[in-house]
Structure formats: structure tokens, C-alpha cells
Amino acid sequence: MRSGSPRDYSRRAQLSQSPDPAMVPADVAEAQILDLITPFDGARDRETVTLAEARDRILADTVLSPLDFPHWDNSAMDGYAVRFADVQGATATATVALTVIEEIPAGKRPQQAVAAGQAARILTGSMMPEGADTIVIQEITQRRDDQVQILEAPQPQAFVRHRASFHRAGEPLLFAGTVLQAPEIAVLAAAQCPLVPVYRRPRVAILSTGDELVTPDRPLQPGQIVDSNQYALVTLVQQAGAEAIPMGIVPDQPEALREAIAAALDQADLVLSSGGVSVGDYDYVDRILTELGATLHIRAVAIKPGKPLTVATFTQPSPTLYFGLPGNPVSALVSFWRFVEPALRKLSGQTRWSPLFVKARSHQDLRAGGQRETYLWGQVQVTEAGFEFSLAGGRHSSGNLINLAGTNALGVVPVGVTQIAAGDPVRVLLLPSGFTS
Ligand code: AMP
Ligand code: MG
């Protein structure tokens, strides 16, 4: 289905034949992951959408303007189109009288050229008539019948917007990789580009692993846990502009996992599984990936939560990146925000990939173990003084999913730091789902 894809992981695969099982620092993991990704190809991985469908899509090609902006010389004000030579000596005591030969409303082509001693009544946005080179604003004129008195000399070429002075036809209007939002869509509409070349959406298969998992509609048996990751990951994938392919729950059985992962590889550009990547007796994912021919690049990252993280690549049946996320719901989300999101942005053709970190003032003391980069969930508010970070209430346990609700940012306590005092600056990762002020 995706045969002939230009993306090629084989070169990098050769470089990483012997994966280092040690924990890698988060920024090293990020760089390594981004380096594994070949972005979509503007010629092959593209589709055409209408302007109405273009919101949040990514331009796959540079768009050249078919038109000059402005399209013709026009007036920036209501007034009179005149010849500067006629009015350059005008003063309140020595006014210049001109004959008004026509009125040019917006959207109408002037019918007559302005000759010496003549003027045309003109409105904002109207085309300049032949012969005229200057606009006299109506505030410095007096009109009687077909005569207009000019009471003050304007600057030469005053209030004329010249053709192509904003943008020239044939020059690039928007570049490949631009995310299309209201301003860009307005520009494309104005340039009469009703059909827009965009990158296709990356296809992301999502599977949850674990014998204990059930869907939310099932009565819970003792020991069972609801598969919340599937829903969180589908949402995050869709928010990132990708197409989510939910593949359900896979039991902790090697054969079932092998089948499910193989099916995911057949359909997706990127596969996300959660669970089964730690060192427990039932954590089969890494073994199955290897058996299926993957190259494992990362197996653990020095962050908390989210230490077990498998990053692998497949070249068969087509180039695919595989993320084995930790099963723990908080760890899975933190790993997505920190590592999968930038990877998706790069794959999908955007020009900015890296997560958005800002400095914020912490409202509370933030504590960490100091061994691993620690991500604490909470909320950023934008105030006049800048960014403010408040820690989510409740237990900061990676097993506590409940106090994640409302999270729009993660406070980062670096390795080697065990406390950031209330009032001090903290580096925070802004989550793409947006934040309120
Ligand atoms: P694992 O990484 O498979 O050892 O899972 C770690 C913890 O996360 C266990 O308590 C699992 O029950 C829980 N967990 C695993 N997968 C999911 C999931 N899809 N949704 C919610 N919790 C999960
Ligand atoms: Mg498990």
C-alpha cells in the first residue's frame, strides 16, 4: 500500500546496529529521534485540498503569486485623483480650481484620463485614472458642482498605492512547510489559489498492550484496568494533524503481539504501542520488534516519568518509525509530548519541530530526585508579567492519571537539581493542546 515510499531508514539502521541499552538523556534522545526521520516528500506525499479544508494543513509546495499586489494603482483615501503638477502651488489663499470629470467608485474602471486642470472624484481602493499621479484627500478640498478647490499642496504621489508595491506576480507567496491558518488562508484566497497542495496526513497506528486492559464500556473485573492510553493517544495524534488508526488491545502474548505489530506496520508511517517495554516478565515488545527485523535505537531515556521508551525503525514492509511507550498513563503522555510530537511534526513536513520550552515563574516548590530530568504536570498561565506555572494538585505519582486533567504544561527539573523554590524560574514545556490565560 505504501510501496515506493521515498523515506529510507536503512542508512541510519546500519549506523545503529548495536543499540546502547543505557538510559540516554532526554535532549540526546530527542535529537536521535529527529535524526531518524526523513520528512514527507513534497512531490510524493501530497494531496490537494480546497481552501475550506486547508486549516492546520501544511503546505507541500512553494506557492507563487499569480497576481501583483495591489493589482493596479489605487487610492488609499477618499479624495480627488489629480496631476501633481497642477496642485503643487496650492495654498489656502491661492487655491487651485480643477474640473471634476468623473466619479470612480470601488470596483469600477475609470472611464476617462485626467488632463491638465482636471480631477476625478475617487474613493478608497478605487483604481487610479490615467493621467493622475497624486491623491488630494477630501479634507483639504472644497467642492462646488463640477469644480473642486484644492486648499493645500499634497506630497507628490500622496496616497497612491502602486501596483505590485506589496508583492510582485511570480514571486513566492508562501513556502513549503507553512502551517495554514487564517492569515495564510486569506493570502491564498486573495491570490486566487482555491486549490492548495498540502502534505498528506501521517498515518499513526496505536495499540495498547496488556492482559489487564479492558475497554471503557466493560464492567471491571478485579485486577483489570481500563485502556485509557488508546483514547489519549488517538486524541493527541489527531491534534497533531495526523490520522489515528486505533488498533485496540493486544494481550501479553508473543504471537498476538507479533501479529498486531505486523498489521500496524502494514498500515502506518508511525506506530505507537503502550505498555510492555519495561523489564517485567510479560514485557515482550522489544523482543518481538527485533524478531520482526527492527533496529532498536533507544530503550530507555533518563526522564521521570517515562524511563522505558523504545524507539525502533523498520525498513520492511516500508520505512516506519516505532515508539514503544511506557504503559503507565502519565508516562505514556509525557513521552508522547516530549518525543513523539516533535517526530510527527518533522515527518509531516513542518519546518519547526522542537518542543516549545519557556521560562515561567513557579507558584510552588518543585521537588525531584535529581537523577533523571523530571517532568511535573500543571498549568501555565499567561499574565502581563509573563508565564506563571502552577503544579497540579494531588499526588505526583506516575500512576495517578486523575490529576492530569487540566494540564497544559510540564515543569522541568533538570538532572542534578532536587528543588526549585516557589517564585523561582522553571523551564516549562508548553503542550500543543493550548493553554488559557
Ligand atoms: P507496563 O508498561 O505494561 O508494565 O504497564 C505499566 C502500568 O501501566 C501498569 O500498571 C498497567 O496496568 C498500566 N497500563 C498499561 N497500559 C495501559 C493502558 N493502555 N491504559 C491504562 N493503563 C495502562
Ligand atoms: Mg503491561
Side-chain angles (χ1 to χ4, degrees):
M1 139 189 273
R2 295 171 48 244
S3 60
S5 167
R7 285 169 302 109
D8 176 12
Y9 293 122
S10 54
R11 182 182 61 79
R12 283 129 175 155
Q14 279 160 14
L15 296 178
S16 346
Q17 279 303 323
S18 48
D20 180 357
M23 285 196 292
V24 275
D27 53 347
V28 174
E30 181 198 335
Q32 216 176 327
I33 290 165
L34 287 172
D35 196 44
L36 287 169
I37 291 172
T38 308
F40 276 168
D41 180 280
R44 284 172 177 253
D45 297 303
R46 80 183 209 169
E47 58 196 35
T48 302
V49 294
T50 65
L51 278 176
E53 299 159 335
R55 176 165 63 96
D56 296 331
R57 301 303 299 268
I58 301 152
L59 210 53
D61 217 343
T62 299
V63 174
L64 305 179
S65 173
L67 300 170
D68 286 329
F69 286 90
H71 313 318
W72 39 73
D73 290 358
N74 71 90
S75 174
M77 298 291 275
D78 293 342
Y80 293 87
V82 302
R83 300 163 74 102
F84 178 71
D86 283 350
V87 298
Q88 60 185 325
T91 67
T93 50
T95 62
V96 170
L98 300 173
T99 303
V100 180
I101 54 168
E102 75 169 307
E103 170 148 343
I104 312 164
K108 288 276 156 29
R109 186 191 195 101
Q111 299 300 305
Q112 299 181 58
V114 172
Q118 295 183 333
R121 171 77 174 135
I122 199 164
L123 297 163
T124 304
S126 296
M127 276 178 90
M128 288 292 284
E130 296 275 322
D133 56 21
T134 298
I135 299 296
V136 178
I137 58 173
Q138 68 190 26
E139 290 82 350
I140 56 169
T141 64
Q142 261 173 12
R143 175 79 179 265
R144 187 180 310 144
D145 302 328
D146 69 345
Q147 294 289 301
V148 62
Q149 300 285 337
I150 309 298
L151 312 178
E152 209 179 282
Q155 295 293 316
Q157 306 199 19
F159 299 112
V160 178
R161 297 185 192 130
H162 289 282
R163 175 175 187 162
S165 59
F166 299 161
H167 195 87
R168 192 167 294 283
E171 290 186 352
L173 199 57
L174 294 172
F175 290 93
T178 303
V179 181
L180 299 176
Q181 283 169 352
E184 295 77 24
I185 290 172
V187 168
L188 290 168
Q192 297 197 302
C193 301
L195 296 176
V196 190
V198 296
Y199 290 109
R200 67 180 178 86
R201 295 182 189 280
R203 287 185 287 265
V204 182
I206 298 162
L207 34 102
S208 300
T209 75
D211 284 340
E212 74 281 27
L213 301 177
V214 291
T215 53
D217 54 336
R218 286 297 190 82
L220 274 187
Q221 302 301 322
Q224 290 187 327
I225 283 179
V226 174
D227 171 18
S228 56
N229 288 351
Q230 184 100 204
Y231 293 87
L233 293 172
V234 165
T235 307
L236 289 171
V237 162
Q238 290 171 342
Q239 274 177 351
E243 181 193 333
I245 309 170
M247 299 196 62
I249 298 168
V250 189
D252 290 317
Q253 291 160 14
E255 202 39 54
L257 265 174
R258 190 176 298 113
E259 259 177 45
I261 293 174
L265 291 172
D266 270 344
Q267 305 179 51
D269 302 293
L270 195 147
V271 178
L272 299 178
S273 66
S274 67
V277 288
S278 343
V279 290
D281 291 343
Y282 302 98
D283 294 331
Y284 296 121
V285 170
D286 288 5
R287 199 184 95 198
I288 305 290
L289 291 175
T290 310
E291 284 174 19
L292 286 169
T295 303
L296 267 60
H297 303 272
I298 295 172
R299 301 188 66 185
V301 182
I303 69 168
K304 188 176 185 254
K307 178 175 125 190
L309 175 73
T310 294
V311 180
T313 48
F314 285 87
T315 54
Q316 296 294 332
S318 54
T320 308
L321 186 64
Y322 191 103
F323 283 92
L325 305 174
N328 192 298
V330 178
S331 310
L333 289 188
V334 169
S335 307
F336 185 96
W337 284 318
R338 185 67 185 83
F339 302 113
V340 182
E341 183 98 43
L344 266 178
R345 274 200 288 267
K346 181 169 181 187
L347 177 64
S348 62
Q350 294 190 38
T351 49
R352 215 203 108 251
W353 316 312
S354 290
L356 209 53
F357 286 102
V358 296
K359 274 268 155 58
R361 200 177 69 89
S362 179
H363 282 183
Q364 294 90 6
D365 288 341
L366 307 178
R367 289 174 214 283
Q371 306 294 322
R372 290 183 267 153
E373 194 164 279
T374 300
Y375 288 70
L376 297 163
W377 45 105
Q379 270 199 314
V380 155
Q381 293 206 311
V382 187
T383 71
E384 279 197 39
F387 294 106
E388 309 261 331
F389 178 71
S390 340
L391 203 56
R395 271 287 295 283
H396 273 258
S397 148
S398 58
N400 182 9
L401 161 70
I402 297 307
N403 73 345
L404 262 184
T407 296
N408 68 10
L410 303 172
V412 186
V413 184
V415 174
V417 176
T418 54
Q419 187 179 348
I420 292 173
D424 278 357
V426 57
R427 192 163 171 252
V428 301
L429 171 62
L430 299 181
L431 303 181
S433 40
F435 47 91
T436 53
S437 54

